[in-house]
Amino acid sequence: MNFWSRVARIILRNRYLVLLLIALFTAFLISQMQYMRFSYTEANLLPEDHEENIHYNQFLEIFGEEGNLIILGVKDSTVFSPKKFNAWNQLVKSFDSLPEVDFTLSIADVKKLEADRQERKFVLTPLYESLPNNVKDIQKIKNQLFNELPFYDNLLYNKETGTLQTAIYINKNIVNTPKRKQFVFDVLKPAIQQFEIDNNLDIRVSGMPYIRTENSQNIVDEIGLFVGGALLITAIIFFLFFKSYRATFITLLVVTIGVIWAFGFIGLLGYEITVLTALIPPLIIVIGVPNAVFLINKYQQEIKKHGKQAKALQRVITKIGNATLMTNITTASGFATFVFVKSKLLREFGILASINIVSIFILALLIIPVIYSFMPLPKKKHLNHLERRWMEGVVNWMEKTVKEHRVWVYVSTVVIIILGIVGLYQIRVSGSLIEDMPKSMGFYKDIKFFEREFGGILPLEILVDTKRNNGVMNLSTLKRIEKINETIESFPELSKPISIVNLVKYSKQAYYKGNPKYYQLPTSQEQNYILAYTKNSDGNADMLQNFVDSTGRYARITTFMKDIGTDKMESIQERLQLVIDKEFPEERYEVSMTGKALVFIKGTNYLINNLVLSLSLAILLISLFMAWMFRSLRMILISLLPNMLPLLITAGLMGYLNIPIKPSTILVFSIAFGISVDDTIHFLAKYRQELIANSWRIQKSVYAALRETGVSMFYTSIVLFFGFLVFTTSSFGGTIALGGLVSVTLLLAMVSNLLLLPSLLLTFERKIANEKVLKKLAIRIIPKEDKLRKKRKV
C-alpha cells in the first residue's frame, strides 16, 4: 500500500475524528482573532538596517515623530467676514485643550515678533488683542498677515489665492495608536462637519495622520467587500459549472473555514492587518475553490464510471491528492519567496500566504471526501456537466489545434514574446505614497487641493548635523542652509521650506521695527547684536525647538512634496545632493535627506531590486519539483516556458497600459507564476499516468491528458479569473491593477498550458521519450495498482 492509499484509508476510517479535530482547531483560531490589530503606520518596505531607515530613525530620535500634522484649509472670500472669521479661529481653539492635541497654529495664534530696545530682547505680541467685529478690523488683520509677516507665508496663508491654512499638531504619543483613529472620527470630523453646516463653508482636511486614518478605514471596509464578493462570485460560477447545491455548499464550507483560519493565523502570529495581509482571506477563497473543483470533479467522474462511493472517494484522495498537494506546494512556494526579502511587510505576507495555502489544501482534502461519505450518491443530473456539448467542443478544438495547427501556436507565441518585450521596456516605476489611494474619496481630493495651494502634504526632511554644539547658529551655517532653501524653492513639486533660517530672518525683520524688506539673513555686523536679542528672549525658545535641537547641533529643513513619481523624486534628490555636497564639507557637516515619503520611494526601488530574486527563487523551486517528477532537463524547460510566457505578456500589458511597477503590482508576477504553474503540474501528472497506461506512447498520452484535465483546468481558470477580478471592485488603484493583471495572467496561463505545453511535448517527443527514465520515474511515483496493471498487460 503506497502513501496516498494509506492517507485515504486513515481519512475515511476516522471521519468523526477528522471533523472533531478540524472543529477544535477552528475554535482555537477563532479565539486568536481577538489579537488581530490594524496597522496605524505607513508601510515600511525597507529592512530595519537599511541606510534610509537609519537616517529616518536618527531624525525621529532628535526631533520626534514628523508625521503628526493635520491641516485644515478654506478657500472662500466670505471667511473674511467677522462672523465666519471668528468662528474659524474658535473652531481651531476648541481643539487646543484636547489631550490628543499638542498645539494648534491659526491666525488667532499668530504672534508678532518685536524688538524690546530697553530689555534688548525680542518679545511676542498677539496679532490682534480683541475679536474683530467689523470688516475694517478684518481687513487690517488680513493686510498685516499677507503683507507684513512673510514668515507665515505658505504656513498659514497663500497670498495669491487668499486661502487660509490651520495646523493641528497631534500628540506624538498617539500618532501611531488607535487613539488617533478615535480622535479623527469621533472628534475632528464631527466638529468640522458641524462648522461647515453652521457657516456654509467647505473645509479641506489633510495631513499624514488624517490620510492614514481614512486610508486604514478603507482597508478595513474592503476586507468584508473582498471576502463577500469572492465567496459570492465563486459560488455562482461553481454552481453554474456543477449544477449542484450540494457541491456548492461543500465548497463554500471549505473556503469559509479557510477564511476563518486565515484571520486566526494573523492573530496567532501577532501580525498587523495591512494593505497586503488584507488580501489573504479573499486570496484563500480563489485558491481554495480550484482544489474543490479538481476533487469534486474527480469524485463525480469515478461515480459515473462505476457507481461505488467508497472506491470513488478512495481514488479521489489517491489520484488527485498527490497532484493537488504539489500544485498547492508550488503556489505556496511562489509566496514563500517573499520570506527571503528583508522587508518585514512582504515577509509577513509571504509567511501568512504560504501557511494558509497549505491549510486550505488540507481542509479540502479532509472535508470534501468525509462529507461526501455521509451523503447519498450524486444524481444523474449532477453528472450531466461532464458531458456538456459546448465543453466537449472546446476540448475538441484544443486537441485539433495541437494536432493540426501546431505551427500557428508557435508563430503566435513568437509574436506575443516580441510584443511582450517591447511593452516590458515601457514599464515605469512609481513610489508614491498616495497614488493608490481612492481617487473618488474626499480626502484624496483634499490632498490635491493642498498640493495646488501650498505645494503638497508629504513631508520631506533634511537633517543637518554641524558636529558641534551651537553650530547651527553660526552665520556660515545659516547661509549654507539658505542655499538649500533656495534650491528647494526652485522645484515646483516642493513647497516653500521652513527652517531656522526663516526664524532668523524674522528676527532681523523684528529688529528693524517689522519692516518686511528686512526679512533676510543678518550680515556679519548685524549678527552679534541680533543674536544677542535672541538669546535674551524667553518666547523664542518654543519657536526655536521646532527647527533646532536643544544642543544647537542639529537643524531640520522641512518641505512638503506633491504626489510625484519615483523618477522625478530621484532627479530632485540628485540636484539637492549636489547643492549639499557643494555647500556642506564632509569634514564639518553631515547632511541627510529623509521623511516618510522618501523612505517609501526608496522602499519601492528596494522591492523592484528584490523582485528578480524572489521570482528566480520561485522558478528554481518549481524547477526542482519538475526535476523530481521527470528527472529530465528538457521536461523542466518545456514545463516552464508555458508559465513564463503569461508573465511576459502581463509585463508587456503593464507597459502598454501605463500601469507602473509599485508595491501593489509587484506582487503580480510571483502570485501569478505560483498559481499558473498548478495547471502545468495537473497536466503533467495526468500525462505521466497516461504514459504508463499507454505503454509510453507520447501522442496518445498527450491527447488523453488533454481531454481529462482540460475540463478541470478550464473550470479552475474561470473561477480564478473571476475570483481575482473581485479585487477590481476596490477603491485602491494598486489593488484594482493587481486583480486585473493576475486575472488576465491566469487566463493566458490556462491557454498556454492547454495549447503550448501539449504542442511542445509532441514536437520534442523523440527527445523526451526516454523509456528508461520514464520507467525509473514510474517505480518512484506511479501507484502500485498502475504498476501491477502494466505487469499484467506485459
Side-chain angles (χ1 to χ4, degrees):
M1 183 180 292
N2 71 359
F3 172 76
W4 285 103
S5 297
R6 290 193 188 95
V7 170
R9 190 174 181 181
I10 291 169
I11 292 172
L12 296 173
R13 285 193 173 185
N14 300 277
R15 297 179 298 171
Y16 292 101
L17 179 61
V18 166
L19 293 177
L20 178 63
L21 290 174
I22 291 173
L24 289 174
F25 193 65
T26 302
F28 169 71
L29 288 177
I30 289 173
S31 71
Q32 297 302 303
M33 289 168 65
Q34 62 181 312
Y35 302 113
M36 286 193 307
R37 62 189 194 279
F38 296 96
S39 175
Y40 292 96
T41 60
E42 289 87 6
N44 191 337
L45 306 172
L46 293 171
E48 293 180 4
D49 59 351
H50 193 279
E51 182 183 13
E52 294 298 330
N53 266 341
I54 292 171
H55 289 321
Y56 184 62
N57 290 330
Q58 181 191 16
F59 174 85
L60 294 182
E61 286 176 11
I62 298 168
F63 289 104
E65 174 64 45
E66 44 95 36
N68 67 324
L69 173 64
I70 292 180
I71 47 178
L72 312 182
V74 58
K75 186 180 181 180
D76 191 325
S77 59
T78 63
V79 78
F80 293 103
S81 64
K83 180 189 172 186
K84 293 183 179 180
F85 183 81
N86 291 328
W88 170 254
N89 290 314
Q90 187 56 43
L91 171 69
V92 181
K93 278 292 179 188
S94 67
F95 299 125
D96 234 343
S97 58
L98 299 174
E100 297 92 345
V101 176
D102 269 350
F103 65 95
T104 60
L105 183 60
S106 68
I107 295 177
D109 300 303
V110 169
K111 301 288 191 296
K112 292 191 295 182
L113 199 63
E114 296 180 346
D116 185 337
R117 302 295 180 185
Q118 291 183 345
E119 299 291 334
R120 295 180 61 80
K121 66 178 183 180
F122 292 117
V123 293
L124 293 169
T125 60
L127 182 62
Y128 56 91
E129 297 288 347
S130 57
L131 293 177
N133 52 24
N134 56 61
V135 175
K136 187 177 179 181
D137 290 342
I138 299 286
Q139 283 303 119
K140 183 180 177 182
I141 294 169
K142 184 179 177 182
N143 181 62
Q144 285 187 76
L145 186 66
F146 282 33
N147 300 317
E148 297 177 14
L149 298 172
F151 176 79
Y152 294 103
D153 185 17
N154 210 65
L155 187 63
L156 290 181
Y157 66 87
N158 181 325
K159 185 176 179 180
E160 295 178 0
T161 63
T163 304
L164 295 182
Q165 180 173 260
T166 285
I168 301 173
Y169 287 87
I170 303 298
N171 186 327
K172 294 177 181 180
N173 295 325
I174 73 156
V175 168
N176 297 321
T177 69
K179 288 184 179 179
R180 184 194 75 207
K181 177 183 175 182
Q182 294 168 7
F183 169 72
V184 169
F185 287 121
D186 299 340
V187 180
L188 181 69
K189 290 187 73 173
I192 291 172
Q193 288 165 2
Q194 188 60 49
F195 176 85
E196 288 178 324
I197 294 169
D198 294 343
N199 295 277
N200 194 28
L201 288 172
D202 181 21
I203 305 301
R204 307 295 189 125
V205 191
S206 197
M208 292 311 298
Y210 182 79
I211 293 170
R212 284 154 54 187
T213 304
E214 290 278 10
N215 207 38
S216 298
Q217 188 59 43
N218 267 10
I219 292 172
V220 174
D221 294 341
E222 289 196 350
I223 291 177
L225 173 68
F226 291 155
V227 171
L231 282 172
L232 179 64
I233 196 75
T234 51
I236 291 172
I237 295 170
F238 197 91
F239 181 77
L240 289 175
F241 283 154
F242 285 90
K243 300 290 185 182
S244 168
Y245 290 108
R246 186 190 304 172
T248 305
F249 166 76
I250 293 172
T251 303
L252 288 179
L253 176 66
V254 170
V255 295
T256 300
I257 295 174
V259 168
I260 292 171
W261 282 27
F263 283 121
F265 280 124
I266 293 174
L268 179 64
L269 296 174
Y271 293 163
E272 292 182 337
I273 293 182
T274 65
V275 71
L276 289 185
T277 53
L279 299 177
I280 288 177
L283 196 65
I284 293 307
I285 295 171
V286 296
I287 291 175
V289 169
N291 289 337
V293 169
F294 277 103
L295 291 167
I296 293 174
N297 205 43
K298 180 64 178 175
Y299 172 67
Q300 293 183 347
Q301 285 175 350
E302 291 293 327
I303 291 295
K304 187 180 177 184
K305 280 182 185 178
H306 49 72
K308 298 176 182 177
Q309 188 179 61
K311 185 178 179 181
L313 291 173
Q314 185 167 1
R315 285 198 171 181
V316 165
I317 297 171
T318 55
K319 297 283 187 181
I320 302 298
N322 185 39
T324 310
L325 172 64
M326 294 208 52
T327 58
N328 282 271
I329 290 294
T330 52
T331 303
S333 299
F335 287 95
T337 55
F338 293 121
V339 175
F340 300 100
V341 178
K342 290 185 178 179
S343 167
K344 181 185 175 185
L345 187 77
L346 277 181
R347 190 166 60 247
E348 290 181 357
F349 175 73
I351 291 169
L352 276 173
S354 303
I355 291 172
N356 282 289
I357 287 167
V358 174
S359 298
I360 196 70
F361 159 73
I362 294 171
L363 284 171
L365 190 68
L366 295 177
I367 292 175
I368 291 174
V370 167
I371 290 186
Y372 267 119
S373 70
F374 288 106
M375 292 183 170
L377 290 174
K379 296 178 182 177
K380 187 177 183 302
K381 65 179 181 179
H382 297 144
L383 307 178
N384 289 339
H385 72 94
L386 298 172
E387 298 176 349
R388 284 187 183 137
R389 289 184 180 180
W390 67 268
M391 192 65 242
E392 180 136 354
V394 172
V395 175
N396 288 337
W397 173 82
M398 290 188 293
E399 186 176 330
K400 185 178 180 181
T401 301
V402 170
K403 188 181 293 185
E404 300 176 9
H405 304 291
R406 217 176 302 157
V407 174
W408 286 109
V409 173
Y410 295 144
V411 170
S412 302
T413 301
V414 171
V415 171
I416 288 170
I417 288 173
I418 293 170
L419 292 174
I421 292 172
V422 172
L424 177 65
Y425 280 96
Q426 298 179 37
I427 292 181
R428 63 184 179 89
V429 177
S430 171
S432 168
L433 255 175
I434 63 175
E435 183 181 34
D436 281 346
M437 292 182 184
K439 305 292 189 292
S440 61
M441 299 296 287
F443 75 88
Y444 184 85
K445 295 174 183 176
D446 288 351
I447 290 171
K448 293 300 178 184
F449 170 82
F450 285 102
E451 283 187 355
R452 291 192 304 271
E453 297 295 327
F454 297 99
I457 51 90
L458 303 175
L460 175 64
E461 301 281 355
I462 299 176
L463 181 65
V464 178
D465 178 6
T466 63
K467 298 184 179 180
R468 61 194 183 279
N469 290 348
N470 299 315
V472 171
M473 299 308 292
N474 190 302
L475 185 59
S476 64
T477 301
L478 295 172
K479 288 180 178 179
R480 296 176 198 278
I481 294 175
E482 174 69 348
K483 287 288 185 183
I484 296 180
N485 285 0
E486 290 171 357
T487 306
I488 290 173
E489 288 193 39
S490 69
F491 293 110
E493 297 87 359
L494 302 179
S495 70
K496 289 182 180 179
I498 184 164
S499 66
I500 182 61
V501 167
N502 300 71
L503 188 57
V504 173
K505 286 181 178 180
Y506 193 16
S507 299
K508 180 175 177 178
Q509 178 190 352
Y511 184 82
Y512 286 102
K513 300 181 179 179
N515 191 333
K517 76 176 185 179
Y518 289 103
Y519 184 74
Q520 56 189 241
L521 284 176
T523 62
S524 53
Q525 290 85 3
E526 296 168 325
Q527 177 191 13
N528 292 331
Y529 45 86
I530 289 178
L531 291 183
Y533 270 61
T534 303
K535 289 176 183 177
N536 294 333
S537 305
D538 299 325
N540 265 16
D542 292 334
M543 297 181 72
L544 199 62
Q545 69 180 1
N546 292 317
F547 310 113
V548 182
D549 79 312
S550 58
T551 66
R553 172 177 170 172
Y554 296 95
R556 69 188 288 189
I557 305 169
T558 303
T559 182
F560 293 91
M561 296 166 44
K562 292 182 179 178
D563 179 25
I564 57 178
T566 304
D567 291 341
K568 279 188 179 180
M569 187 58 228
E570 287 178 349
S571 174
I572 290 171
Q573 193 177 359
E574 286 173 8
R575 285 177 58 186
L576 282 173
Q577 194 62 52
L578 288 174
V579 177
I580 290 169
D581 293 341
K582 180 182 176 183
E583 298 295 332
F584 292 87
E586 284 187 15
E587 61 274 11
R588 293 178 56 195
Y589 300 94
E590 186 177 332
V591 182
S592 59
M593 280 179 276
T594 188
K596 290 185 183 295
L598 190 60
V599 170
F600 189 82
I601 288 171
K602 294 292 183 182
T604 302
N605 292 335
Y606 175 82
L607 284 187
I608 292 166
N609 293 334
N610 281 270
L611 171 63
V612 177
L613 171 65
S614 61
L615 198 54
S616 300
L617 285 171
I619 293 170
L620 175 63
L621 286 170
I622 289 160
S623 299
L624 291 174
F625 283 125
M626 296 301 177
W628 179 77
M629 283 178 68
F630 288 95
R631 294 193 173 186
S632 167
L633 179 61
R634 290 190 183 94
M635 282 301 295
I636 293 172
L637 296 175
I638 286 172
S639 61
L640 286 179
L641 182 59
N643 294 292
M644 297 299 291
L645 184 63
L647 298 186
L648 182 60
I649 298 171
T650 301
L653 285 173
M654 290 178 70
Y656 291 126
L657 299 176
N658 197 31
I659 299 173
I661 287 281
K662 49 189 174 182
S664 48
T665 57
I666 208 168
L667 300 173
V668 169
F669 300 99
S670 294
I671 292 174
F673 184 78
I675 297 175
S676 67
V677 81
D678 292 357
D679 285 346
T680 305
I681 291 174
H682 273 293
F683 184 91
L684 292 178
K686 184 59 185 173
Y687 167 67
R688 179 191 63 198
Q689 291 176 353
E690 292 296 331
L691 280 172
I692 301 296
N694 293 297
S695 302
W696 321 111
R697 285 178 290 183
I698 288 180
Q699 281 197 21
K700 190 174 181 180
S701 301
V702 168
Y703 296 138
L706 184 61
R707 296 198 73 82
E708 181 153 339
T709 61
V711 176
S712 293
M713 286 166 67
F714 181 81
Y715 283 179
T716 56
S717 295
I718 296 300
V719 170
L720 286 167
F721 175 79
F722 285 103
F724 275 100
L725 217 57
V726 168
F727 292 127
T728 60
T729 61
S730 171
S731 57
F732 293 91
T735 309
I736 294 170
L738 174 70
L741 289 170
V742 172
S743 295
V744 171
T745 305
L746 294 178
L747 206 59
L748 292 168
M750 176 197 71
V751 175
S752 183
N753 278 300
L754 290 175
L755 294 180
L756 181 59
L757 179 59
S759 297
L760 290 170
L761 288 171
L762 291 170
T763 299
F764 296 100
E765 61 176 302
R766 290 181 183 176
K767 294 183 178 180
I768 61 176
N770 186 333
E771 190 170 323
K772 290 181 180 179
V773 171
L774 292 171
K775 285 181 179 178
K776 287 180 182 177
L777 178 69
I779 292 170
R780 291 182 64 248
I781 298 175
I782 301 301
K784 282 188 176 181
E785 65 251 33
D786 287 342
K787 290 190 287 182
L788 291 171
R789 188 164 58 251
K790 178 179 178 294
K791 286 177 182 177
R792 284 197 296 270
K793 286 182 180 179
V794 173

